[in-house]
Amino acid sequence: MNTTRTLLLACAASLAAAAHAADPILSGAIGARSGQKLDGVTVSARLEGSTITTSVYTDTGGNYYFPSLPVGKYRVWAQALGFERSTATVDLSAARRHDFTLQEIADAERRFRQLPGEMMVAALPEASADDARMKKIFMNNCTGCHSTSYTLQFRFDEAGWNKIIDLMKIVPVTGVYPGPNAKPNQILQKHQKQLAAYLARARGPGESSMKIAPRPRPSGDAARAMWTLYDVPLNPDAGIGSRYNANDGTEWAMGTTSKLGQLPHDGALGLDGTIYFTSNNPNRGVTIGKVDPATGAVKYLKADATNGLAATAHGLVRDRAGNLWFDVNPGRRALGKLDVATEKFSIYQTPEGMAPLGGAVTIDIDGKGMVWASTPRGAVRFDPATEKFTEFKSAIPEQNTKGLAATYGAAGDRDGNGWWSQMAMDTVYKADIASGKAIGVKMPDVKVDRLFGEDRAFYEGVSDLGFNAPLPWSQGPRRMGTDKNADLLWVCNSFGSSFARVNTKTLETTIIPLPDPTMQAYHIAVDSRHNVWGNLWTSDRIVRYDPAANAWTVFDLPVRGTEIRHIALLERGDRLSVVVPVYRTSQMGVLTLRSEAELAALKAKAQ
């Protein structure tokens, strides 16, 4: 019986492999109407009836090659900045090649709405000191609830921008209007008149003061990237009336969509490639979602909350066994664990007298297998073996004369020490296990004195700093990650447009500027080769930094309005996969890199 069963399984595996090998290769060439071949063009394909989109990029000769795809009818489209999207239907049972000719966009506003957020911000005027000051205020203080592209895709006169600022100086980072008695943000209040006039000149009814600079399309490693995007249904409790987002980001000229109804917040890949996400918005059915990478089927896993809804979740990390840890809120925020084999939740509350999890919680596993999570007043370490928490507190109180100093990111290093950031206070802390003490590391100020020197006294008196209400010279240390194969902590400075590299033993800190000063980093993950991966929440891009070569690679996403807030890795042999929650368009995205040899094999097979 065992021999027969083994033979049958081997036969089935052989037939499956043969069937996969027989799947056709979709390929083609893309050019402009002038006849010029276009490199770095995004090409996407989706099987009819599927929720999975695969995207690749053209090479230097304007050619594209998809991996093997199942036979069927596909909607295929190609687009690049400055060009109209071109769409076709390809039946892979009859054809394996489709060429596109892209036409330039004639309408200036459609061209503008195509742009990712950092290109819009880069185009804002800054030649004069007054303009540069307003540009910095906009970048720091107008991104609390949304990406820059969501704001700048609209046009208003000065009165219109004033009304928007009237609202946004009251609405906190949650995006929820607190009522007419709420106090306005002090920095926006001070600069409102000048900011409204500045935005009206840039995005008003008249001639725009913005100067859009073109940028190169993806090349090298970035052009060998392959993205797989999985649509996640919208929150049915949001009352939208549609199952998926009508503007899913695939038509760039439609601009950045509303995030109403989105579910995914943070993401991780299981050891078997299953995609998981946390849901941080109130709903009745999902705490953790899981996506089948083969079919795109989404399954909801629910932990009950005391209010009758699903417990919301935030932060997500995979441990060595493949199980998931996250912040969960059944009524009092706690540490959650999902056993991926049984799909059972375990919830661990900090003891009375110890802070619950809170702030913008990030979770990490240190080199000793301990779980670290942020709390409003610092961080906690959890020992999965003894189920005991240890608390570490920030030196600066959560509520203080400068504003809200709640913790944002948290991480654990390879030696078992913990780390966390007080974003509004520009301070990173080390939980030193040997001494039991918390050691503060102050981030150096961003150099903006020439713009804000005269107002220094006003800013020194600001008392409502927070996650998205910073001083002009704030770095804004947000989420972070450690290199588990080196003594390094990497921190995303969201307002400083930089990474901070901190030696975990000496605390020596180095600021490394991002490739573009309009990029705003959010979260970091480090691979086994010491490469640092980060997402840019106001851009439709992620970055990879190679410290040894001091070199950046920037990867474009195939959709617009992504607002990514989390990044995670899965390494299996030589294959590395990067997973990101495509937050605003309610998708989960997985990036894999194809080698030159893989592309050469696809090219040979396509011919």
Side-chain angles (χ1 to χ4, degrees):
M1 285 291 291
N2 287 339
T3 302
T4 303
R5 185 173 183 274
T6 300
L7 288 172
L8 287 172
L9 288 172
C11 183
S14 178
L15 288 171
H20 180 73
D23 286 341
I25 301 296
L26 174 60
S27 65
I30 299 180
R33 296 186 73 182
S34 65
Q36 176 191 2
K37 297 299 182 184
L38 298 175
D39 62 313
V41 173
T42 307
V43 193
S44 304
R46 176 184 286 212
L47 181 65
E48 192 176 80
S50 174
T51 57
I52 304 173
T53 301
T54 305
S55 298
V56 298
Y57 300 86
T58 55
D59 60 20
T60 54
N63 300 300
Y64 69 88
Y65 303 94
F66 279 90
S68 296
L69 297 171
V71 169
K73 289 185 178 180
Y74 285 79
R75 185 166 64 93
V76 185
W77 61 95
Q79 58 192 329
L81 289 176
F83 293 89
E84 297 282 5
R85 183 178 71 166
S86 183
T87 305
T89 299
V90 179
D91 186 346
L92 284 190
S93 63
R96 299 187 178 188
R97 180 179 179 87
H98 188 85
D99 297 340
F100 289 96
T101 300
L102 301 188
Q103 180 177 346
E104 291 190 11
I105 297 177
D107 181 77
E109 198 62 21
R110 282 178 59 78
R111 290 173 68 96
F112 185 85
R113 289 171 72 88
Q114 265 199 333
L115 300 177
E118 89 279 358
M119 285 189 72
M120 292 183 179
V121 174
L124 288 170
E126 58 180 332
S128 70
D130 284 344
D131 281 358
R133 187 180 300 114
M134 289 305 99
K135 184 170 183 173
K136 185 63 175 173
I137 291 295
F138 175 81
M139 284 185 63
N140 280 18
N141 296 88
C142 295
T143 55
C145 317
H146 45 68
S147 169
T148 49
S149 61
Y150 186 75
T151 311
L152 292 175
Q153 68 184 339
F154 301 109
R155 304 185 77 153
F156 300 99
D157 60 15
E158 189 171 341
W161 283 113
N162 254 309
K163 290 177 181 178
I164 289 169
I165 299 170
D166 275 338
L167 176 64
M168 299 312 297
K169 70 184 180 184
I170 295 296
V171 174
V173 67
T174 59
V176 178
Y177 177 60
N181 297 322
K183 293 181 179 180
N185 173 261
Q186 294 166 20
I187 293 175
L188 280 178
Q189 179 88 330
K190 175 179 176 60
H191 293 290
Q192 178 170 351
K193 183 177 180 180
Q194 191 178 2
L195 180 60
Y198 174 78
L199 291 173
R201 283 191 286 114
R203 292 295 290 160
E207 183 179 352
S208 176
S209 60
M210 300 176 78
K211 304 296 181 186
I212 299 168
R215 75 176 184 203
R217 290 188 290 272
S219 61
D221 278 1
R224 291 194 292 273
M226 181 178 74
W227 283 97
T228 309
L229 261 62
Y230 301 84
D231 290 350
V232 175
L234 296 174
N235 180 358
D237 302 318
I240 296 173
S242 59
R243 183 166 170 78
Y244 295 101
N245 199 325
N247 179 6
D248 62 0
T250 57
E251 168 55 279
W252 299 350
M254 288 181 68
T256 299
T257 187
S258 164
K259 66 180 181 182
L260 187 65
Q262 65 80 219
L263 283 175
H265 191 279
D266 304 294
L269 285 166
L271 295 177
D272 62 353
T274 299
I275 303 155
Y276 295 89
F277 63 86
T278 60
S279 180
N280 193 41
N281 281 344
N283 70 91
R284 290 186 173 89
V286 54
T287 300
I288 300 290
K290 58 183 295 187
V291 184
D292 185 318
T295 66
V298 178
K299 182 178 181 179
Y300 295 151
L301 307 176
K302 177 186 176 184
D304 291 326
T306 54
N307 60 6
L309 301 178
T312 55
H314 192 281
L316 191 65
V317 69
R318 183 189 65 247
D319 66 19
R320 294 172 185 170
N323 298 313
L324 302 175
W325 296 83
F326 47 92
D327 159 43
V328 65
N329 188 7
R332 181 180 187 263
R333 290 176 74 172
L335 181 65
K337 176 187 176 183
L338 176 69
D339 184 313
V340 296
T342 64
E343 297 184 349
K344 299 298 183 183
F345 288 102
S346 299
I347 296 178
Y348 305 95
Q349 289 280 2
T350 58
E352 291 297 326
M354 187 181 293
L357 269 63
V361 179
T362 311
I363 309 289
D364 194 24
I365 310 291
D366 68 24
K368 308 298 183 182
M370 304 295 177
V371 184
W372 288 89
S374 45
T375 74
R377 63 191 186 195
V380 290
R381 183 186 71 166
F382 180 75
D383 184 338
T386 64
E387 298 186 359
K388 300 294 184 182
F389 285 95
T390 306
E391 183 178 22
F392 295 84
K393 298 179 183 179
S394 305
I396 304 171
E398 178 193 0
Q399 302 284 347
N400 62 80
T401 57
K402 293 296 184 182
L404 180 66
T407 302
Y408 210 101
D413 65 28
R414 66 173 175 175
D415 295 326
N417 303 302
W419 298 82
W420 71 93
S421 65
Q422 281 184 311
M423 185 175 177
M425 303 294 119
D426 261 10
T427 302
V428 169
Y429 292 89
K430 175 183 180 180
D432 185 71
I433 295 302
S435 66
K437 296 180 179 179
I439 305 169
V441 180
K442 182 72 167 62
M443 292 290 107
D445 289 351
V446 176
K447 298 185 186 309
V448 292
D449 281 350
R450 73 177 184 89
L451 300 179
F452 296 93
E454 294 180 1
D455 295 324
R456 192 87 189 193
F458 162 76
Y459 287 108
E460 294 293 351
V462 168
S463 59
D464 62 352
L465 300 179
F467 292 159
N468 290 91
L471 295 170
W473 47 84
S474 293
Q475 292 284 359
R478 209 160 199 155
R479 286 181 158 182
M480 53 182 62
T482 56
D483 188 335
K484 299 300 193 295
N485 298 293
D487 297 322
L488 291 174
L489 167 76
W490 293 89
V491 184
C492 281
N493 288 324
S494 200
F495 301 121
S497 299
S498 64
F499 286 170
R501 180 178 62 206
V502 182
N503 186 296
T504 57
K505 294 189 181 300
T506 67
L507 307 185
E508 179 185 4
T509 302
T510 305
I511 299 297
I512 300 171
L514 289 164
D516 190 299
T518 62
M519 291 176 168
Q520 293 181 274
Y522 208 101
H523 189 208
I524 277 176
V526 186
D527 68 29
S528 62
R529 298 182 181 181
H530 311 293
N531 293 307
V532 184
W533 295 81
N535 59 290
L536 308 171
W537 79 297
T538 57
S539 308
D540 299 316
R541 313 174 95 183
I542 65 172
V543 294
R544 181 187 66 192
Y545 177 65
D546 180 349
N550 189 27
W552 294 91
T553 306
V554 182
F555 299 90
D556 287 10
L557 271 90
V559 290
R560 282 290 167 264
T562 53
E563 204 170 305
I564 300 168
R565 297 164 183 257
H566 192 262
I567 192 167
L569 310 175
L570 174 64
E571 295 183 75
R572 290 176 289 190
D574 292 333
R575 176 71 70 176
L576 181 141
S577 299
V578 184
V579 62
V580 293
V582 190
Y583 177 78
R584 192 169 277 269
T585 53
S586 202
Q587 297 156 331
M588 293 301 296
V590 179
L591 166 71
T592 53
L593 294 181
R594 302 186 294 179
S595 68
E596 293 279 14
E598 286 177 280
L599 284 172
L602 288 172
K603 184 176 181 179
K605 189 175 178 181
Q607 291 175 348

